[in-house]
Amino acid sequence: MFRFFAGGVGPTVIVGLAACAAAEQSACPVPIASEADLDGALAHVRYLADDALEGRAVASPGERCAGEYIADFFATLDLEPAGEGGTYFQTFQVRTGSRLAAPGSLAISPDSGDESNPRELSQGEWRPFGFSGSGSAEAPLVYAGSGIANSGGHQEEIPDVEGRVMVVESGTPEMEEGSLYLDPHFKGSAAQGRGASALLILLEEGEALPELSTEDKPFLRIPVVAVSGGAAEAVRAAAQGGSSFARVEAQVEPALSDARNVVAVHPGSDPALAREVVILGAHYDHLGYGGAGSLAPGVMDIHNGADDNASGTAALLEAARLLSETETARPVLFIAFSGEERGLLGSAHFVAQPTIPLESAVAMVNMDMVGRVRDNTTTVFGMATAPEWEALLAAVNESQPEPFNLTLMPDGYGPSDHSSFYGAGIPVLHFFTNTHSEYHRPEDDWQTLNGEGLDRLASLVSDLTRGLAGVGDDVSPATLTLVQSAPPEASEEGGRGYGPYFGSVPDMGYQGFGVRLTGVREGGPAANAGLQAGDVIVAFGGTEVGDLYQYTYALREMAPGDVVDVVVERDGRRVTLQAVLGERR
């Protein structure tokens, strides 16, 4: 693996990649010299956002190579490994899809009174979805149309399906492509909530059976199966006949792979401050070839994620280089997270299982999408998480050769890794240069970035970190006072827009049953109802909530002003609270 010289990035550096030998799974692309003379942070972006890394999807070979590149650079700076086992890496497992644990079976009998000779459907005629529950069901069939009672202008009466095998169409009338009400997971969740013992979804002509290897939605408890072709017609006829019977068995399990955070530390020089760590972070994963999360639906092409978030990672590396040149009183911890695009998985894992003690952490500074500085403007979130932030940031910004126009936002929660640390009681700042038309699309490539602005932002963050960590005998490290919650700026249920607003902040890395909260928005409906950080929502408005998807589904069924019962698990017992939903604007 290519290493930089410890003195930093030279004038002619990595701007292209040599191809990997396909047979060598452990081989990574090798940085090579080029005529473009890229230097500074943009040189790092050029490597991380090259097609050869195939979009750095979590737990992919490209993500692994990006992690090796980051660790190698930390090593050239003589930063100490702060991962596991004396390495720069902290490994955690992520679900990268699903797979069949056993073949399973599906059989139907036109007459529920004669179950001795059912029709066995072949494996090519049906397949469980990747989120299907594992288990079996033997019960009468009941046809339920689209399976959706109310969806915008569509209204449909759903029969009693409790204890039965529910049969629905994959489509929903009057719904456009991409609608929630067409989502098989939503239909499965609704069927589960109605007490169905299993769900058979009849595919339209030409619609392919589901692909398990790419499924990432949470598992349901009941079998959910897709049926195609002539078999779908037979199941539909049997269910509509009113006296049919089905036997369904599905065995689906998660496919797990290793992902890695990359962690290094610049030790502090003051033994009395050795545990008062300052954390600087950015995520380095992206979307691979698209799919879930892409804003180019149906396009399977490499999403290089130059701005999101090769830019933040590059700024992290450049700031690490600048900080490695000086002695700091407090230690500075550098973390490149993976799994952010899948729900802050890497940062949530680090907070839950830190490789160094976090109880005395001073602050966490995060960078995500910082490569598009326009009109000399940068947005900084988290200003209300500590009252000292404003004066400290203003002083550091004014000391820059060309100060930024800073847009200051109070909120410490948001869709990036700083949220994990704020939920753990650490003051945060989050740097962001705004979204753009290439966001989460294949067009987000290195040529679209502002390299000069990226270098300046890395310098600003480096100087801010020096102020937090303290430099030399004459400069005292800054002291921050945590403010636990900030005023609401945007909803956790999909951002700004119209609809019901609850004001909770889910723990995106929580893997148990229900939705664990890292916090609630001050003055929001959740806070007013008495919900608090650490609560696990298990029912919302009479609907069981097993995961974040089901929570979102239940919330969207409500309207502003609705009074809802919210059941939470708190300190080992269930508590029912009543909330009045607000309106998201």
Side-chain angles (χ1 to χ4, degrees):
M1 179 75 187
F2 177 90
R3 288 176 179 263
F4 286 105
F5 292 104
V9 183
T12 304
V13 293
I14 54 162
V15 296
L17 299 175
C20 285
E24 297 178 16
Q25 294 184 353
S26 62
C28 287
V30 179
I32 59 175
S34 168
E35 300 173 358
D37 291 341
L38 292 179
D39 59 11
L42 194 59
H44 297 302
V45 173
R46 181 63 184 91
Y47 179 84
L48 295 168
D50 194 280
D51 282 356
L53 295 192
E54 298 182 312
R56 309 184 310 279
V58 63
S60 70
E63 179 243 39
R64 192 167 189 84
C65 288
E68 295 285 350
Y69 174 91
I70 295 164
D72 277 3
F73 189 71
F74 284 157
T76 65
L77 302 178
D78 292 327
L79 298 176
E80 294 183 4
E84 299 164 328
T87 73
Y88 288 103
F89 299 107
Q90 181 192 37
T91 301
F92 59 100
Q93 284 200 315
V94 298
R95 179 180 165 206
T96 51
S98 297
R99 60 190 175 205
L100 292 177
S105 62
L106 175 59
I108 59 171
S109 172
D111 185 352
S112 60
D114 180 15
E115 302 158 12
S116 59
N117 190 29
R119 173 184 170 180
E120 294 280 349
L121 275 62
S122 70
Q123 294 293 325
E125 296 177 303
W126 70 280
R127 185 180 301 159
F129 285 90
F131 55 77
S132 171
S134 291
S136 60
E138 295 187 38
L141 288 168
V142 57
Y143 184 76
S146 70
I148 304 299
N150 297 290
S151 54
H154 171 72
Q155 291 192 351
E156 187 175 337
E157 185 174 346
I158 305 299
D160 180 13
V161 299
E162 186 167 2
R164 302 183 180 188
V165 175
M166 186 176 177
V167 177
V168 303
E169 306 291 342
S170 64
T172 301
E174 304 173 19
M175 291 296 107
E176 296 181 359
E177 183 179 355
S179 168
L180 170 72
Y181 301 105
L182 296 172
D183 188 332
H185 188 271
F186 179 80
K187 295 193 176 199
S189 180
Q192 177 177 283
R194 293 177 184 276
S197 60
L199 177 66
L200 308 184
I201 298 181
L202 309 180
L203 303 182
E204 296 178 352
E205 184 176 354
E207 193 174 356
L209 290 169
E211 176 56 60
L212 274 68
S213 64
T214 56
E215 182 59 68
D216 61 1
K217 288 189 173 68
F219 287 100
L220 299 176
R221 294 195 310 278
I222 64 172
V224 183
V225 168
V227 187
S228 67
E233 295 178 7
V235 170
R236 184 183 296 110
Q240 290 176 336
S243 61
S244 53
F245 179 88
R247 184 182 70 246
V248 187
E249 182 183 5
Q251 298 293 332
V252 181
E253 63 185 12
L256 301 176
S257 300
D258 287 342
R260 302 187 299 179
N261 294 328
V262 190
V263 195
V265 66
H266 180 49
S269 60
D270 188 340
L273 302 177
R275 298 175 72 86
E276 296 185 13
V277 65
V278 179
I279 304 165
L280 194 57
H283 79 90
Y284 71 96
D285 64 305
H286 196 53
L287 302 179
Y289 280 83
S294 173
L295 294 180
V299 176
M300 295 304 292
D301 198 1
I302 296 174
H303 289 52
N304 279 320
D307 193 24
D308 184 17
N309 186 36
S311 68
T313 305
L316 174 70
L317 298 181
E318 182 64 6
R321 183 184 69 81
L322 294 170
L323 286 161
S324 70
E325 297 171 354
T326 60
E327 193 175 75
T328 58
R330 285 170 170 154
V332 180
L333 185 69
F334 303 95
I335 314 178
F337 304 105
S338 188
E340 190 271 354
E341 298 289 358
R342 294 280 300 277
L344 316 186
L345 297 181
S347 56
H349 180 79
F350 186 88
V351 167
Q353 301 183 41
T355 57
I356 67 169
L358 289 184
E359 58 266 21
S360 300
V362 174
M364 192 274 177
V365 179
N366 189 53
M367 294 170 287
D368 196 344
M369 294 183 65
V370 292
R372 297 286 195 96
V373 175
R374 288 161 286 187
D375 301 323
N376 197 39
T377 298
T378 296
T379 300
V380 188
F381 291 86
M383 298 302 297
T385 66
E388 298 84 4
W389 274 135
E390 188 167 354
L392 178 60
L393 182 59
V396 172
N397 187 45
E398 288 302 316
S399 72
Q400 302 301 301
E402 184 181 355
F404 285 96
N405 300 320
L406 298 179
T407 300
L408 306 182
M409 306 295 288
D411 206 350
Y413 291 116
S416 193
D417 293 300
H418 60 289
S419 287
S420 297
F421 291 85
Y422 187 44
I426 300 171
V428 298
L429 284 187
H430 171 54
F431 287 82
F432 173 63
T433 58
N434 219 332
T435 190
H436 42 77
S437 59
E438 291 78 29
Y439 169 68
H440 276 206
R441 292 179 172 88
E443 292 77 19
D444 181 12
D445 223 328
W446 71 272
Q447 298 93 333
T448 65
L449 268 56
N450 177 350
E452 183 267 344
L454 183 57
D455 283 337
R456 288 173 49 225
L457 190 140
S459 179
L460 172 70
V461 170
S462 173
D463 289 348
L464 174 68
T465 306
R466 284 193 184 93
L468 293 166
V471 179
D473 296 334
D474 299 328
V475 181
S476 299
T479 300
L480 299 180
T481 306
L482 173 70
V483 177
Q484 189 60 59
S485 61
E489 286 296 317
S491 150
E492 77 290 352
E493 301 102 11
R496 296 186 182 274
Y498 293 94
Y501 170 68
F502 188 51
S504 61
V505 183
D507 178 350
M508 304 297 288
Y510 180 68
Q511 299 295 309
F513 182 85
V515 175
R516 184 182 184 276
L517 303 183
T518 60
V520 292
R521 306 277 184 179
E522 184 178 327
N528 292 340
L531 278 85
Q532 58 193 35
D535 284 347
V536 179
I537 300 175
V538 294
F540 191 89
T543 299
E544 183 182 73
V545 169
D547 54 59
L548 189 56
Y549 279 90
Q550 292 176 340
Y551 172 54
T552 303
Y553 300 157
L555 181 66
R556 289 185 181 182
E557 291 294 309
M558 304 296 175
D562 282 354
V563 179
V564 297
D565 287 337
V566 185
V567 182
V568 302
E569 289 187 349
R570 178 187 296 172
D571 298 328
R573 61 191 182 92
R574 290 200 170 193
V575 179
T576 300
L577 304 168
Q578 198 169 74
V580 180
L581 297 181
E583 184 171 7
R584 184 169 69 239
R585 295 186 181 277

mmCIF file of all heavy atoms in Angstrom, residues 227-261:
data_model
loop_
_atom_site.group_PDB
_atom_site.id
_atom_site.type_symbol
_atom_site.label_atom_id
_atom_site.label_comp_id
_atom_site.label_asym_id
_atom_site.label_seq_id
_atom_site.Cartn_x
_atom_site.Cartn_y
_atom_site.Cartn_z
ATOM 1 N N VAL A 227 -45.177 -14.048 -4.863
ATOM 2 C CA VAL A 227 -45.623 -15.122 -5.754
ATOM 3 C C VAL A 227 -45.789 -14.533 -7.143
ATOM 4 O O VAL A 227 -46.374 -13.450 -7.307
ATOM 5 C CB VAL A 227 -46.955 -15.735 -5.276
ATOM 6 C CG1 VAL A 227 -47.299 -16.961 -6.107
ATOM 7 C CG2 VAL A 227 -46.889 -16.109 -3.799
ATOM 8 N N SER A 228 -45.288 -15.217 -8.163
ATOM 9 C CA SER A 228 -45.292 -14.655 -9.518
ATOM 10 C C SER A 228 -45.979 -15.574 -10.518
ATOM 11 O O SER A 228 -46.270 -16.739 -10.237
ATOM 12 C CB SER A 228 -43.849 -14.389 -9.970
ATOM 13 O OG SER A 228 -43.144 -15.612 -10.137
ATOM 14 N N GLY A 229 -46.230 -15.034 -11.704
ATOM 15 C CA GLY A 229 -46.704 -15.795 -12.848
ATOM 16 C C GLY A 229 -48.010 -16.522 -12.627
ATOM 17 O O GLY A 229 -48.939 -16.032 -11.962
ATOM 18 N N GLY A 230 -48.073 -17.733 -13.175
ATOM 19 C CA GLY A 230 -49.277 -18.543 -13.068
ATOM 20 C C GLY A 230 -49.596 -18.917 -11.635
ATOM 21 O O GLY A 230 -50.765 -19.083 -11.267
ATOM 22 N N ALA A 231 -48.570 -19.033 -10.808
ATOM 23 C CA ALA A 231 -48.799 -19.353 -9.403
ATOM 24 C C ALA A 231 -49.549 -18.225 -8.707
ATOM 25 O O ALA A 231 -50.419 -18.467 -7.867
ATOM 26 C CB ALA A 231 -47.468 -19.615 -8.700
ATOM 27 N N ALA A 232 -49.221 -16.976 -9.081
ATOM 28 C CA ALA A 232 -49.934 -15.838 -8.499
ATOM 29 C C ALA A 232 -51.410 -15.890 -8.876
ATOM 30 O O ALA A 232 -52.293 -15.614 -8.051
ATOM 31 C CB ALA A 232 -49.301 -14.529 -8.963
ATOM 32 N N GLU A 233 -51.700 -16.241 -10.126
ATOM 33 C CA GLU A 233 -53.092 -16.352 -10.565
ATOM 34 C C GLU A 233 -53.821 -17.441 -9.774
ATOM 35 O O GLU A 233 -54.984 -17.271 -9.375
ATOM 36 C CB GLU A 233 -53.139 -16.653 -12.060
ATOM 37 C CG GLU A 233 -52.584 -15.528 -12.928
ATOM 38 C CD GLU A 233 -52.598 -15.889 -14.404
ATOM 39 O OE1 GLU A 233 -53.165 -16.958 -14.747
ATOM 40 O OE2 GLU A 233 -52.039 -15.122 -15.210
ATOM 41 N N ALA A 234 -53.133 -18.560 -9.536
ATOM 42 C CA ALA A 234 -53.757 -19.665 -8.793
ATOM 43 C C ALA A 234 -54.019 -19.262 -7.342
ATOM 44 O O ALA A 234 -55.080 -19.580 -6.779
ATOM 45 C CB ALA A 234 -52.849 -20.892 -8.847
ATOM 46 N N VAL A 235 -53.067 -18.555 -6.721
ATOM 47 C CA VAL A 235 -53.256 -18.120 -5.335
ATOM 48 C C VAL A 235 -54.395 -17.105 -5.258
ATOM 49 O O VAL A 235 -55.226 -17.159 -4.338
ATOM 50 C CB VAL A 235 -51.948 -17.524 -4.776
ATOM 51 C CG1 VAL A 235 -52.196 -16.858 -3.427
ATOM 52 C CG2 VAL A 235 -50.875 -18.602 -4.636
ATOM 53 N N ARG A 236 -54.443 -16.184 -6.211
ATOM 54 C CA ARG A 236 -55.516 -15.179 -6.225
ATOM 55 C C ARG A 236 -56.886 -15.851 -6.330
ATOM 56 O O ARG A 236 -57.817 -15.522 -5.577
ATOM 57 C CB ARG A 236 -55.312 -14.219 -7.380
ATOM 58 C CG ARG A 236 -56.342 -13.068 -7.426
ATOM 59 C CD ARG A 236 -56.152 -12.179 -8.643
ATOM 60 N NE ARG A 236 -54.881 -11.496 -8.622
ATOM 61 C CZ ARG A 236 -53.859 -11.754 -9.442
ATOM 62 N NH1 ARG A 236 -53.974 -12.739 -10.361
ATOM 63 N NH2 ARG A 236 -52.731 -11.089 -9.360
ATOM 64 N N ALA A 237 -57.006 -16.807 -7.257
ATOM 65 C CA ALA A 237 -58.281 -17.498 -7.451
ATOM 66 C C ALA A 237 -58.673 -18.275 -6.199
ATOM 67 O O ALA A 237 -59.837 -18.276 -5.787
ATOM 68 C CB ALA A 237 -58.188 -18.435 -8.655
ATOM 69 N N ALA A 238 -57.686 -18.929 -5.579
ATOM 70 C CA ALA A 238 -57.980 -19.701 -4.372
ATOM 71 C C ALA A 238 -58.430 -18.794 -3.235
ATOM 72 O O ALA A 238 -59.395 -19.088 -2.525
ATOM 73 C CB ALA A 238 -56.745 -20.496 -3.961
ATOM 74 N N ALA A 239 -57.725 -17.654 -3.066
ATOM 75 C CA ALA A 239 -58.080 -16.740 -1.976
ATOM 76 C C ALA A 239 -59.440 -16.105 -2.204
ATOM 77 O O ALA A 239 -60.227 -15.924 -1.267
ATOM 78 C CB ALA A 239 -57.011 -15.665 -1.833
ATOM 79 N N GLN A 240 -59.735 -15.755 -3.453
ATOM 80 C CA GLN A 240 -61.025 -15.127 -3.751
ATOM 81 C C GLN A 240 -62.161 -16.137 -3.678
ATOM 82 O O GLN A 240 -63.332 -15.755 -3.527
ATOM 83 C CB GLN A 240 -60.982 -14.477 -5.133
ATOM 84 C CG GLN A 240 -60.097 -13.237 -5.183
ATOM 85 C CD GLN A 240 -59.991 -12.651 -6.578
ATOM 86 O OE1 GLN A 240 -60.186 -13.355 -7.583
ATOM 87 N NE2 GLN A 240 -59.675 -11.370 -6.657
ATOM 88 N N GLY A 241 -61.823 -17.453 -3.752
ATOM 89 C CA GLY A 241 -62.847 -18.477 -3.655
ATOM 90 C C GLY A 241 -63.456 -18.588 -2.271
ATOM 91 O O GLY A 241 -64.558 -19.116 -2.117
ATOM 92 N N GLY A 242 -62.726 -18.146 -1.265
ATOM 93 C CA GLY A 242 -63.295 -18.040 0.073
ATOM 94 C C GLY A 242 -63.201 -19.264 0.938
ATOM 95 O O GLY A 242 -63.576 -19.219 2.105
ATOM 96 N N SER A 243 -62.714 -20.388 0.426
ATOM 97 C CA SER A 243 -62.641 -21.586 1.281
ATOM 98 C C SER A 243 -61.317 -22.308 1.085
ATOM 99 O O SER A 243 -61.245 -23.526 1.130
ATOM 100 C CB SER A 243 -63.797 -22.543 0.940
ATOM 101 O OG SER A 243 -63.707 -22.958 -0.417
ATOM 102 N N SER A 244 -60.255 -21.555 0.825
ATOM 103 C CA SER A 244 -58.956 -22.151 0.534
ATOM 104 C C SER A 244 -58.035 -22.097 1.753
ATOM 105 O O SER A 244 -58.297 -21.403 2.732
ATOM 106 C CB SER A 244 -58.303 -21.425 -0.646
ATOM 107 O OG SER A 244 -58.277 -20.031 -0.398
ATOM 108 N N PHE A 245 -56.940 -22.834 1.626
ATOM 109 C CA PHE A 245 -56.035 -23.036 2.745
ATOM 110 C C PHE A 245 -54.610 -22.927 2.222
ATOM 111 O O PHE A 245 -54.331 -23.263 1.071
ATOM 112 C CB PHE A 245 -56.274 -24.427 3.343
ATOM 113 C CG PHE A 245 -55.390 -24.778 4.498
ATOM 114 C CD1 PHE A 245 -55.764 -24.444 5.795
ATOM 115 C CD2 PHE A 245 -54.192 -25.453 4.302
ATOM 116 C CE1 PHE A 245 -54.949 -24.780 6.873
ATOM 117 C CE2 PHE A 245 -53.381 -25.794 5.366
ATOM 118 C CZ PHE A 245 -53.760 -25.452 6.660
ATOM 119 N N ALA A 246 -53.686 -22.440 3.059
ATOM 120 C CA ALA A 246 -52.282 -22.350 2.646
ATOM 121 C C ALA A 246 -51.369 -22.838 3.760
ATOM 122 O O ALA A 246 -51.688 -22.716 4.947
ATOM 123 C CB ALA A 246 -51.931 -20.919 2.278
ATOM 124 N N ARG A 247 -50.243 -23.367 3.336
ATOM 125 C CA ARG A 247 -49.162 -23.719 4.258
ATOM 126 C C ARG A 247 -47.914 -22.997 3.778
ATOM 127 O O ARG A 247 -47.480 -23.169 2.639
ATOM 128 C CB ARG A 247 -48.937 -25.229 4.270
ATOM 129 C CG ARG A 247 -47.878 -25.667 5.306
ATOM 130 C CD ARG A 247 -47.626 -27.165 5.283
ATOM 131 N NE ARG A 247 -46.927 -27.572 4.064
ATOM 132 C CZ ARG A 247 -47.446 -28.340 3.114
ATOM 133 N NH1 ARG A 247 -48.701 -28.776 3.229
ATOM 134 N NH2 ARG A 247 -46.737 -28.668 2.051
ATOM 135 N N VAL A 248 -47.358 -22.153 4.623
ATOM 136 C CA VAL A 248 -46.213 -21.320 4.259
ATOM 137 C C VAL A 248 -45.087 -21.564 5.243
ATOM 138 O O VAL A 248 -45.302 -21.562 6.459
ATOM 139 C CB VAL A 248 -46.570 -19.811 4.294
ATOM 140 C CG1 VAL A 248 -45.415 -18.975 3.755
ATOM 141 C CG2 VAL A 248 -47.851 -19.540 3.541
ATOM 142 N N GLU A 249 -43.911 -21.788 4.723
ATOM 143 C CA GLU A 249 -42.719 -21.859 5.576
ATOM 144 C C GLU A 249 -41.613 -21.050 4.919
ATOM 145 O O GLU A 249 -41.301 -21.238 3.738
ATOM 146 C CB GLU A 249 -42.241 -23.294 5.781
ATOM 147 C CG GLU A 249 -41.022 -23.357 6.705
ATOM 148 C CD GLU A 249 -40.479 -24.765 6.876
ATOM 149 O OE1 GLU A 249 -40.991 -25.689 6.204
ATOM 150 O OE2 GLU A 249 -39.540 -24.930 7.676
ATOM 151 N N ALA A 250 -41.042 -20.113 5.668
ATOM 152 C CA ALA A 250 -39.920 -19.308 5.171
ATOM 153 C C ALA A 250 -38.823 -19.301 6.221
ATOM 154 O O ALA A 250 -39.100 -19.191 7.421
ATOM 155 C CB ALA A 250 -40.378 -17.881 4.881
ATOM 156 N N GLN A 251 -37.600 -19.441 5.784
ATOM 157 C CA GLN A 251 -36.433 -19.407 6.676
ATOM 158 C C GLN A 251 -35.420 -18.433 6.081
ATOM 159 O O GLN A 251 -34.726 -18.743 5.123
ATOM 160 C CB GLN A 251 -35.822 -20.810 6.828
ATOM 161 C CG GLN A 251 -36.746 -21.841 7.444
ATOM 162 C CD GLN A 251 -37.054 -21.531 8.904
ATOM 163 O OE1 GLN A 251 -36.260 -20.911 9.605
ATOM 164 N NE2 GLN A 251 -38.239 -21.961 9.363
ATOM 165 N N VAL A 252 -35.365 -17.237 6.656
ATOM 166 C CA VAL A 252 -34.495 -16.175 6.154
ATOM 167 C C VAL A 252 -33.604 -15.699 7.294
ATOM 168 O O VAL A 252 -34.052 -15.561 8.430
ATOM 169 C CB VAL A 252 -35.322 -14.989 5.618
ATOM 170 C CG1 VAL A 252 -34.414 -13.895 5.060
ATOM 171 C CG2 VAL A 252 -36.293 -15.461 4.535
ATOM 172 N N GLU A 253 -32.343 -15.454 6.987
ATOM 173 C CA GLU A 253 -31.411 -14.983 8.003
ATOM 174 C C GLU A 253 -30.575 -13.836 7.449
ATOM 175 O O GLU A 253 -30.420 -13.700 6.226
ATOM 176 C CB GLU A 253 -30.498 -16.125 8.467
ATOM 177 C CG GLU A 253 -29.604 -16.679 7.381
ATOM 178 C CD GLU A 253 -28.805 -17.882 7.857
ATOM 179 O OE1 GLU A 253 -29.111 -18.417 8.945
ATOM 180 O OE2 GLU A 253 -27.872 -18.300 7.131
ATOM 181 N N PRO A 254 -30.021 -13.008 8.330
ATOM 182 C CA PRO A 254 -29.204 -11.895 7.840
ATOM 183 C C PRO A 254 -27.859 -12.375 7.321
ATOM 184 O O PRO A 254 -27.289 -13.352 7.833
ATOM 185 C CB PRO A 254 -29.032 -11.017 9.084
ATOM 186 C CG PRO A 254 -29.171 -11.955 10.234
ATOM 187 C CD PRO A 254 -30.163 -12.993 9.797
ATOM 188 N N ALA A 255 -27.353 -11.695 6.305
ATOM 189 C CA ALA A 255 -25.984 -11.883 5.850
ATOM 190 C C ALA A 255 -25.154 -10.769 6.480
ATOM 191 O O ALA A 255 -25.436 -9.588 6.265
ATOM 192 C CB ALA A 255 -25.905 -11.823 4.324
ATOM 193 N N LEU A 256 -24.166 -11.133 7.282
ATOM 194 C CA LEU A 256 -23.379 -10.159 8.039
ATOM 195 C C LEU A 256 -21.974 -10.049 7.473
ATOM 196 O O LEU A 256 -21.380 -11.043 7.041
ATOM 197 C CB LEU A 256 -23.316 -10.560 9.516
ATOM 198 C CG LEU A 256 -24.658 -10.678 10.249
ATOM 199 C CD1 LEU A 256 -24.441 -11.180 11.670
ATOM 200 C CD2 LEU A 256 -25.375 -9.337 10.257
ATOM 201 N N SER A 257 -21.452 -8.831 7.499
ATOM 202 C CA SER A 257 -20.086 -8.585 7.044
ATOM 203 C C SER A 257 -19.421 -7.596 7.991
ATOM 204 O O SER A 257 -20.092 -6.872 8.732
ATOM 205 C CB SER A 257 -20.076 -8.022 5.613
ATOM 206 O OG SER A 257 -20.684 -8.917 4.705
ATOM 207 N N ASP A 258 -18.104 -7.553 7.935
ATOM 208 C CA ASP A 258 -17.345 -6.642 8.788
ATOM 209 C C ASP A 258 -17.185 -5.277 8.139
ATOM 210 O O ASP A 258 -16.836 -5.174 6.953
ATOM 211 C CB ASP A 258 -15.953 -7.216 9.069
ATOM 212 C CG ASP A 258 -15.985 -8.379 10.040
ATOM 213 O OD1 ASP A 258 -17.001 -8.535 10.745
ATOM 214 O OD2 ASP A 258 -14.987 -9.135 10.088
ATOM 215 N N ALA A 259 -17.448 -4.237 8.918
ATOM 216 C CA ALA A 259 -17.120 -2.861 8.545
ATOM 217 C C ALA A 259 -16.122 -2.341 9.564
ATOM 218 O O ALA A 259 -15.963 -2.920 10.643
ATOM 219 C CB ALA A 259 -18.377 -1.999 8.512
ATOM 220 N N ARG A 260 -15.452 -1.214 9.236
ATOM 221 C CA ARG A 260 -14.394 -0.758 10.136
ATOM 222 C C ARG A 260 -14.391 0.763 10.284
ATOM 223 O O ARG A 260 -14.431 1.499 9.288
ATOM 224 C CB ARG A 260 -13.021 -1.198 9.619
ATOM 225 C CG ARG A 260 -12.867 -2.688 9.435
ATOM 226 C CD ARG A 260 -11.447 -3.077 9.089
ATOM 227 N NE ARG A 260 -10.983 -2.485 7.838
ATOM 228 C CZ ARG A 260 -9.771 -2.661 7.326
ATOM 229 N NH1 ARG A 260 -8.885 -3.412 7.974
ATOM 230 N NH2 ARG A 260 -9.421 -2.097 6.191
ATOM 231 N N ASN A 261 -14.347 1.210 11.526
ATOM 232 C CA ASN A 261 -13.945 2.579 11.820
ATOM 233 C C ASN A 261 -12.422 2.631 11.829
ATOM 234 O O ASN A 261 -11.754 1.643 12.170
ATOM 235 C CB ASN A 261 -14.458 3.023 13.183
ATOM 236 C CG ASN A 261 -15.974 3.127 13.238
ATOM 237 O OD1 ASN A 261 -16.624 3.454 12.249
ATOM 238 N ND2 ASN A 261 -16.551 2.845 14.403
#
